[in-house]
Amino acid sequence: MRALAVLSPELDKKVDLEDKCYIPIDSLKIPIALIHVPDEKFDEDDDRYADYVLVKKKGFSLNYRDFGVIESAWNRLKETEGDSYYPIGSDFCGEVVKIGSNVTNLSVGDLVIQDGFYPEGKENARPGLPTNHGSKELETLHKLKLIKLPKNFPLDVAFGLGIGAQTGMSMINKAKIKKGDNVLVTSVTSYTSLFLLNLLHDYDCNIYGLSYSGKNIEYVRNQFPNIKDIFSLKENAIPENLVFDAVLDPFSDTYFPHLILTRKLNYNCRYLTCGIFNQTTEKIANGKAVDISKILPLMVIFNIQLIGNCLGSTEDLEKGIDLVNKNTLISIDSNFNEDDNLSDFIHKSFNMNKDRLGKVCFTY
């Protein structure tokens, strides 16, 4: 089977240059390749597999969180002797090819994605993403950590669906959006935010966007005609009389300090965030410090709720899938396969060339 993996130094030496790439994370250059590894073993008659399912991946995608996974894997592998590797990938879609004796919620042939329900567990299934190895072509996963997709669901959308649908729907639910609310979606050209805009399609509210650079915002305007306006953070272009009742933000370390200090958050604003931009070791160490003594008084005075969000419930995922299936506005930037340049896929996935608009997928 195939897997996209971080390579140990010894294995790196054995893989041809044209078959791998080096991903730059801060000052590191980390070797990654699509490699062939032994097939996953699965015995339907073995009680150890009773609650498990063997999934054959049809495709996968990388998320911004994979930056941290890749760096962590390299920190373990770089001192390893011999051939070793760590498969990566946060999102995937696959077909059920084998099931254990206790599996009744899924059948062979079902098309599935991961269910990263969090923070509560279910039965003997742990909360959170079921795998950091989404690119493994064959993988054994717990029956409750998978959810069946509707028939004829578009595959390329499914390859990057799980985290976006579950996280986005959870954030929107926690934001308690009311009719007429001014809702701001930050980092508006990022995949997470494009997903949020898709999920907000039928909400009766005033939707605005915020971009760090202001680049490619016309694409978003055309894709989502219900968005009232999009502003640039660099230009500090938000009108003076406009404040927001709810904010949905993938990168709170970039946007939250600016928005609160410039008084753009309304009384009782619900500020939902699912992540930070500075995730790697060097970026965290060298990041610009925020003066919390200036922020806390404003949070108190304006009754601002800062709410962190990690993934969501199974119900969030189900509703997200339904809305995506209904509206079908999810943007796919590009779709790669084994014959394409691996470096192009990696650079596009992490938007290193600043020209990505939508999800980047890899098809097996």
Side-chain angles (χ1 to χ4, degrees), residues 50-327:
D51 292 320
Y52 289 84
V53 171
L54 182 65
V55 178
K56 184 173 184 179
K57 312 292 177 55
K58 290 184 173 292
F60 67 93
S61 62
L62 303 177
N63 292 64
Y64 195 71
R65 69 179 294 274
D66 286 297
F67 258 131
V69 174
I70 291 168
E71 182 188 25
S72 178
W74 174 246
N75 286 335
R76 295 194 299 271
L77 288 171
K78 65 183 179 182
E79 304 297 335
T80 301
E81 295 182 1
D83 297 346
S84 190
Y85 58 90
Y86 187 93
I88 61 173
S90 294
D91 269 315
F92 67 86
C93 174
E95 180 182 353
V96 174
V97 292
K98 291 184 180 182
I99 61 174
S101 57
N102 291 341
V103 177
T104 57
N105 61 318
L106 295 170
S107 302
V108 171
D110 285 346
L111 196 67
V112 294
I113 62 170
Q114 79 272 25
D115 182 355
F117 54 78
Y118 186 87
E120 292 84 13
K122 293 181 182 180
E123 297 179 19
N124 61 339
R126 293 181 177 180
L129 293 180
T131 181
N132 285 326
H133 314 305
S135 68
K136 287 178 64 176
E137 194 170 6
L138 288 167
E139 189 168 14
T140 300
L141 299 165
H142 195 280
K143 62 182 181 181
L144 298 181
K145 301 301 298 184
L146 296 165
I147 192 166
K148 182 180 176 181
L149 289 177
K151 288 184 178 179
N152 302 318
F153 195 93
L155 272 181
D156 52 356
V157 172
F159 295 159
L161 179 67
I163 292 176
Q166 199 155 34
T167 300
M169 205 67 248
S170 179
M171 291 175 73
I172 290 171
N173 287 337
K174 289 177 182 176
K176 297 180 181 178
I177 297 168
K178 303 184 293 295
K179 182 178 180 180
D181 273 353
N182 291 334
V183 178
L184 179 68
V185 178
T186 71
S187 193
V188 75
T189 57
S190 72
Y191 183 67
T192 298
S193 294
L194 292 173
F195 221 115
L196 285 164
L197 290 171
N198 183 76
L199 296 175
L200 286 168
H201 184 268
D202 295 329
Y203 280 74
D204 188 7
C205 60
N206 304 312
I207 303 171
Y208 296 88
L210 183 61
S211 166
Y212 184 78
S213 65
K215 185 179 179 181
N216 296 321
I217 59 177
E218 287 307 313
Y219 167 85
V220 182
R221 292 183 199 273
N222 294 332
Q223 187 81 348
F224 300 96
N226 59 324
I227 197 165
K228 294 185 73 69
D229 208 347
I230 303 175
F231 311 108
S232 166
L233 184 72
K234 280 188 173 181
E235 296 175 2
N236 197 21
I238 300 175
E240 187 175 345
N241 62 344
L242 179 60
V243 292
F244 302 105
D245 304 295
V247 180
L248 307 173
D249 181 6
F251 302 119
S252 54
D253 53 339
T254 299
Y255 296 97
F256 180 65
H258 173 83
L259 290 169
I260 191 170
L261 292 173
T262 56
R263 311 293 176 89
K264 294 289 102 185
L265 306 183
N266 201 3
Y267 289 95
N268 301 309
C269 175
R270 289 86 63 199
Y271 198 109
L272 274 294
T273 180
C274 60
I276 59 173
F277 180 77
N278 292 322
Q279 292 191 25
T280 58
T281 302
E282 291 182 27
K283 282 188 172 66
I284 292 171
N286 300 323
K288 184 179 178 181
V290 175
D291 188 347
I292 198 167
S293 66
K294 294 180 180 178
I295 289 177
L296 285 178
L298 294 173
M299 291 184 65
V300 172
I301 292 169
F302 288 93
N303 283 331
I304 293 166
Q305 303 172 52
L306 177 61
I307 305 170
N309 185 91
C310 182
L311 296 167
S313 66
T314 298
E315 292 71 26
D316 291 326
L317 179 57
E318 290 172 339
K319 187 173 181 181
I321 291 171
D322 288 342
L323 287 176
V324 170
N325 202 32
K326 174 184 175 183
N327 296 323

Side-chain angles (χ1 to χ4, degrees), residues 1-3 35-40 85 136-139 364:
M1 69 176 184
R2 292 164 287 184
I35 57 177
H36 290 262
V37 299
D39 282 353
E40 189 103 350
Y85 58 90
K136 287 178 64 176
E137 194 170 6
L138 288 167
E139 189 168 14
Y364 280 134

